[in-house]
Amino acid sequence: MSEKNSEIKDGLELKTGSKLATEYLHSECGATISRNTAKTYQSYLRGYIEHLDEISVEVLSAKSQNVRSYLKKRARHGRREGTLRLDLTVIKGLYKWIRLETEKEALIDYLSLENIDIGRFRTPPTIEREPLNKDELEALYDELDTFRDRLMVTVGAELGPRNIDLRKIRVGDVDFEGRTISLSDSKARDRYSLPISDTLAVELKHWLTVYRPTYPFSEDHDYVFPSNQGGHLSDSRLLAIVKEAARNAGIQESLGESWMSERQKDALGTDADIREWKKVTVHALRHTFGHLMEEAGLSPEARRDALNHKSTETTEKYYSSNATEYKELIRELLHKERDNDDN
């Protein structure tokens, strides 16, 4: 049976349920995959290792049919084609590393896994993320109750940060003189800067000097958008704010459903077996930002830089379509008259 483990190297803790699989991730981290990718891969490897444990098979003694049976099980549980492809990519990576980088011998030839045709599995249709149009953005904005919430949505739509990066913007990240905001990219573990419009700069300054000091515990931290309980807003709270406003605005839609694993249930704090995917989420603001740039005729390179993607391939994956002044164009597209009163 696989050795249950947890290893920490260079400050990165990884758990896969297999010492060999964890070794693989640590070995490749920083070389062929990033730290963030290693953390993502550990979840896929845990599922595979658990499957091998259930059938009393070790990583080195597994056969191609064991991989195929695991993917079949995942398909039966409602996993989509993209998920199965990533499952197979991670498993192939493990066996390729074993063959080329270690002195151990595995029964599986990683090249034989190329013969597994993911397209033959019966999987649910892919859930397509949809951007919001300008009317939907305005409807969403009008249903937000407070200056803080309206300003968060404005920053989300005008600059496109991810949920966690929006919540963790600090006062010192806003440069009023240079008209920029420094944003963190939790996925790439780096920072980048985007300019802000004069209108947004005025609203941010008004918020920071007039409204933010009225929040409890605001002096105890420097997050731009504080929680009433102190610190920054939680992931679930920000998502709830956006979803409630979308529902009240009549623009919320269901994009589909997916089965949840026990690990996903634990991560989301729910007992539900089914997860419903909604159109309007915090991440939808990021997609909206990208699509508005595409509609403005901006090059993949310009959109890549604005979204802080590492390659134009990533950008093209989500935003299908020569201008270089994309930041000014986005400012014009998204600006509207906004009331600064905190209702």
Side-chain angles (χ1 to χ4, degrees), residues 61-323:
S61 58
K63 300 178 181 178
S64 296
Q65 52 261 44
N66 299 135
V67 176
R68 191 184 299 273
S69 68
Y70 173 61
L71 296 175
K72 282 184 178 179
K73 181 173 73 172
R74 297 275 277 168
R76 284 195 298 270
H77 289 172
R79 297 297 180 263
R80 288 175 163 75
E81 183 175 325
T83 300
L84 297 189
R85 291 191 184 281
L86 187 50
D87 278 320
L88 185 56
T89 295
V90 175
I91 295 169
K92 267 195 308 190
L94 169 63
Y95 286 107
K96 181 178 181 180
W97 173 79
I98 292 173
R99 172 63 62 88
L100 301 179
E101 304 292 338
T102 77
E103 296 181 355
K104 300 180 184 299
E105 292 189 10
L107 289 182
I108 290 179
D109 178 354
Y110 71 92
L111 293 175
S112 69
L113 298 179
E114 298 283 354
N115 297 323
I116 297 179
D117 184 2
I118 297 298
R120 298 190 63 181
F121 291 104
R122 297 184 63 183
T123 57
T126 301
I127 295 176
E128 299 292 344
R129 292 289 189 181
E130 299 180 12
L132 308 183
N133 60 41
K134 190 173 181 181
D135 289 340
E136 290 171 328
L137 274 176
E138 293 186 0
L140 177 66
Y141 182 85
D142 290 340
E143 290 298 331
L144 294 163
D145 293 331
T146 67
F147 189 4
R148 180 200 66 181
D149 296 351
R150 292 196 296 271
L151 192 54
M152 280 193 297
V153 167
T154 302
V155 172
E158 290 198 21
L159 301 178
R162 294 181 176 85
N163 184 321
I164 186 173
D165 303 321
L166 175 58
R167 292 183 288 114
K168 290 189 175 182
I169 295 174
R170 297 178 181 271
V171 174
D173 293 335
V174 185
D175 179 1
F176 289 107
E177 184 176 347
R179 290 288 192 270
T180 63
I181 287 186
S182 175
L183 297 169
S184 60
D185 186 334
S186 55
K187 189 171 183 179
R189 297 177 67 86
D190 65 8
R191 298 189 68 82
Y192 62 107
S193 179
L194 285 180
I196 56 177
S197 65
D198 291 343
T199 302
L200 183 54
V202 168
E203 291 187 351
L204 281 166
K205 181 166 285 190
H206 190 61
W207 161 251
L208 292 175
T209 57
V210 177
Y211 287 110
R212 184 184 178 281
T214 67
Y215 274 69
F217 314 109
S218 61
E219 294 184 355
D220 297 338
H221 60 83
D222 63 348
Y223 293 111
V224 169
F225 302 116
S227 164
N228 284 317
Q229 284 70 48
H232 60 72
L233 285 168
S234 67
D235 180 8
S236 59
R237 180 58 189 142
L238 178 54
L239 183 59
I241 288 170
V242 172
K243 283 186 173 181
E244 181 180 3
R247 185 174 61 251
N248 292 339
I251 62 172
Q252 188 63 284
E253 299 175 16
S254 176
L255 299 179
E257 297 179 339
S258 63
W259 287 92
M260 290 202 295
S261 67
E262 292 303 319
R263 291 191 300 275
Q264 289 173 318
K265 291 179 187 180
D266 291 341
L268 295 173
T270 179
D271 294 325
D273 293 321
I274 301 294
R275 179 177 182 179
E276 183 178 20
W277 295 84
K278 295 292 189 179
K279 172 181 178 178
V280 185
T281 63
V282 182
H283 202 71
L285 300 176
R286 180 170 171 84
H287 284 283
T288 299
F289 176 63
H291 277 282
L292 285 171
M293 286 191 292
E294 182 182 9
E295 288 180 357
L298 306 178
S299 68
E301 291 77 16
R303 287 180 275 140
R304 174 200 64 199
D305 292 342
L307 289 159
N308 203 42
H309 283 161
K310 297 308 174 190
S311 70
T312 54
E313 289 182 3
T314 304
T315 308
E316 292 292 350
K317 177 179 177 181
Y318 295 106
Y319 311 106
S320 60
S321 285
N322 145 25

